[in-house]
Amino acid sequence: MSYAMNVLEKVKRQNPNEPEFHQAITEVLTSLQPFVDAHPEYERAGILERLCEPERVIIFRVPWVDDSGKVQVNKGYRVQFNSAIGPYKGGLRFHPSVSLSIIKFLGFEQVLKNSLTGLPIGGGKGGSDFDPKGKSEREVMAFCQSFMTELFRHIGENTDVPAGDIGVGEREIGFLYGQYKRLANSFSGVITGKGLSYGGSLIRTEATGYGLVYLVDEMLRRHGNSLERKTVIVSGSGNVAIYAAEKVQHLGGKVVALSDSNGFIFDADGIDIAVVKEIKELKRGRILEYTKYRRKAVYTEGRGIWNIKCDIALPCATQNELNGSDAKVLIKNGCLVVGEGANMPTTLEATKLFLQNKVLFVPGKAANAGGVAVSALEMSQNSMRTAWTFEEVDKKLREIMVNIYNNIANVAKEVGQEDNFVVGANIAGFKKVADAMLKQGMV
Ligand code: NDP
Ligand code: 2IT
């Protein structure tokens, strides 16, 4: 058996009951296999074994008091995966489904994603099984303060820099940052995604969604096509989905559907983004409410968003939201492009189908890297004690996404797999981290 497959089997055995982590390492190690075989120095140095084992895993108790006066307890996680090329960097997810497996898959993906940005950031991820939905403002604050009371001793602007992810937006980041500052007695860029009044960067809110569409736009142009008049489906209706949809419309495409975990809306005239922002960002409501504003829109309960005919599909909700049967429908309907705004939204089976059927498929570690890239720009602005303009950050974001596209497309071509951006992204992301690990010796 090859080195990569040996490591894959061993890591699966050593980490049972972690299906999402197994899925992420299977995709990466399978596509790295020929490349790693051609470079025996990686095996000698145990690079893949080290890549798959987090440098540190922190699991902690998070007690807090709910509005009825009862003590609640959640689990807190921070997986500090790899610091070969910079401080651990990656978001915090608050969602009832959060488990060690999910945080490890996200941390593992983050290592390669952060490498692809070209910026000096290592990879990490954290979160909790706490559900912010339906909680009062006071409960969310109490939870965030308790979470940070443990986390603060493990992070730092040069050590580990968290940010948001599912269930962690500007409100939660504010409460987390306030508590960090109080405990550490230090005002630093230790968290990104901060509000603009206390060190946040312009464009960070928009970055993941905008970045995704910048990359897709670049890819389409290189294939003699464009976003103009394309019909686009975006799943989810959170931070990534909203700004992906907004940028598609700026660039001449039409977004006809959005979803949340209850169901999806279809608006043949094109989704009105201002309405979605009001429902989701201001009222924290459900996507169903869209039909109250736009009478012609249709709401369908449950999953099924991928049955709508489209040219471009942008899954921007969560892992494994697009499976093999969804992929078959999309392919049958003539879908040209799938760009992952979420982390691992496409199952292994669906990914394989897209690649076999020549759908231009861009994996999340490349396509959604704009968020963490602007987080790294926020870190730079914080250390320089400056703030760049909207135009400056937007321009840098666009350049970063074009560079990522060039990098993954070139690497895919070099290994004889033109337009296989899964292979391109995995090898390109891996090369930089592996090189840094080799040079730093056995650490
Ligand atoms: P938000 O919390 O803002 O939005 C999440 C959206 O996905 C909501 O519409 C939510 O619906 C839906 N969703 C979440 N879980 C499920 C589920 N189990 N089933 C169906 N729908 C679900 O998160 P973000 O927009 O920030 O994150 C979305 C994805 O993008 C995640 O995979 C995240 O890891 C990834 N990502 C985020 C980045 C960022 O900068 N924020 C950067 C790179 C990637 P509901 O309200 O019903 O729960
Ligand atoms: O998955 C991701 O890249 C994020 N949630 C953003 C991480 C960050 O540090 O901005």
Side-chain angles (χ1 to χ4, degrees):
M1 215 195 280
S2 77
Y3 169 47
M5 291 306 104
N6 260 325
V7 173
L8 177 61
E9 287 317 310
K10 184 167 164 222
V11 176
K12 281 186 179 170
R13 264 199 319 278
Q14 285 177 327
N15 300 272
N17 309 316
E18 295 184 1
E20 294 85 3
F21 180 54
H22 292 184
Q23 183 180 338
I25 59 171
T26 300
E27 189 228 79
V28 170
L29 294 184
T30 308
S31 57
L32 286 180
Q33 187 181 338
F35 179 75
V36 168
D37 281 347
H39 292 85
E41 67 273 23
Y42 293 138
E43 180 169 5
R44 226 171 10 253
I47 293 292
L48 293 182
E49 294 89 325
R50 287 196 270 155
L51 193 75
C52 293
E53 186 66 39
E55 290 176 17
R56 194 176 295 110
V57 174
I58 302 145
I59 303 184
F60 50 101
R61 177 170 73 202
V62 190
W64 56 282
V65 178
D66 71 17
D67 283 348
S68 75
K70 186 179 180 324
V71 173
Q72 301 285 343
V73 177
N74 287 95
K75 270 185 191 294
Y77 301 87
R78 187 72 184 167
V79 173
Q80 298 181 329
F81 225 109
N82 192 303
S83 62
I85 64 170
Y88 310 110
K89 179 83 199 87
L92 296 171
R93 176 178 291 191
F94 293 170
H95 192 273
S97 65
V98 162
S99 64
L100 183 59
S101 172
I102 288 187
I103 300 299
K104 279 178 68 180
F105 113 67
L106 289 164
F108 181 75
E109 287 282 293
Q110 198 82 45
V111 173
L112 301 175
K113 179 195 307 190
N114 293 2
S115 164
L116 286 172
T117 65
L119 299 167
I121 40 179
K125 199 83 185 190
S128 174
D129 57 358
F130 173 76
D131 187 359
K133 263 197 222 111
K135 301 289 190 298
S136 70
E137 195 90 347
R138 193 207 62 79
E139 288 176 321
V140 172
M141 191 195 302
F143 174 81
C144 289
Q145 292 186 338
S146 180
F147 184 88
M148 186 51 81
T149 301
E150 175 58 36
L151 187 68
F152 99 98
R153 69 189 86 246
H154 306 290
I155 62 177
E157 60 180 327
N158 295 314
T159 309
D160 184 355
V161 184
D165 193 81
I166 291 178
V168 179
E170 200 181 318
R171 175 183 64 173
E172 290 74 20
I173 293 290
F175 295 151
L176 290 162
Y177 189 72
Q179 184 72 352
Y180 177 86
K181 187 166 59 63
R182 189 179 181 198
L183 291 166
N185 193 29
S186 160
F187 193 108
S188 70
V190 68
I191 300 182
T192 60
K194 298 184 292 298
L196 294 177
S197 55
Y198 62 95
S201 174
L202 285 162
I203 295 276
R204 177 61 189 88
T205 303
E206 297 85 353
T208 311
Y210 278 19
L212 165 67
V213 178
Y214 288 152
L215 190 144
V216 165
D217 180 49
E218 184 66 21
M219 176 176 70
L220 282 167
R221 288 158 188 264
R222 299 296 185 87
H223 288 80
N225 211 328
S226 82
L227 271 163
E228 290 274 334
R229 289 185 292 279
K230 294 289 184 298
T231 301
V232 182
I233 297 177
V234 180
S235 66
S237 48
N239 172 264
V240 179
I242 289 173
Y243 292 94
E246 181 170 278
K247 187 50 74 179
V248 165
Q249 300 195 342
H250 287 168
L251 298 182
K254 183 161 83 168
V255 177
V256 294
L258 283 175
S259 63
D260 60 22
S261 56
N262 294 105
F264 63 94
I265 47 160
F266 172 69
D267 187 341
D269 297 337
I271 300 279
D272 185 334
I273 305 290
V275 167
V276 179
K277 285 186 182 172
E278 186 172 322
I279 297 168
K280 288 288 173 182
E281 295 185 335
L282 287 178
K283 298 183 174 166
R284 297 179 185 278
R286 309 307 301 158
I287 202 68
L288 160 71
E289 292 161 40
Y290 184 87
T291 53
K292 287 190 207 145
Y293 295 79
R294 296 282 290 244
R295 297 279 170 197
K296 278 203 281 176
V298 182
Y299 175 76
T300 309
E301 191 77 16
R303 64 196 304 287
I305 192 171
W306 307 119
N307 295 330
I308 300 167
K309 190 171 161 45
C310 68
D311 303 308
I312 298 174
L314 303 177
C316 295
T318 193
Q319 65 276 351
N320 293 327
E321 53 162 314
L322 198 169
N323 62 29
S325 24
D326 299 323
K328 284 178 192 152
V329 178
L330 284 165
I331 292 163
K332 186 166 71 58
N333 285 341
C335 177
L336 304 168
V337 170
V338 176
E340 292 189 325
N343 286 305
M344 207 171 74
T346 313
T347 63
L348 289 173
E349 188 198 355
T351 302
K352 208 166 156 189
L353 286 165
F354 289 138
L355 293 175
Q356 281 167 353
N357 287 277
K358 305 279 173 227
V359 174
L360 293 171
F361 175 82
V362 195
K365 63 175 72 71
N368 70 38
V372 75
V374 173
S375 276
L377 300 180
E378 183 174 330
M379 290 163 72
S380 305
Q381 293 169 78
N382 291 162
S383 354
M384 293 162 72
R385 305 230 181 275
T386 189
W388 297 329
T389 63
F390 188 95
E391 289 71 25
E392 280 172 295
V393 185
D394 193 36
K395 185 164 171 278
K396 288 184 202 292
L397 170 63
R398 191 163 192 144
E399 283 166 5
I400 290 168
M401 299 315 295
V402 169
N403 287 340
I404 292 176
Y405 177 74
N406 287 335
N407 192 6
I408 65 175
N410 290 341
V411 171
K413 208 169 174 179
E414 270 164 33
V415 299
Q417 302 217 43
E418 193 163 358
D419 287 347
N420 185 334
F421 304 117
V422 173
V423 164
N426 286 333
I427 296 178
F430 169 78
K431 263 182 13 187
K432 181 176 175 189
V433 176
D435 182 59
M437 289 171 76
L438 283 175
K439 291 193 169 133
Q440 289 172 27
M442 196 199 63
V443 289

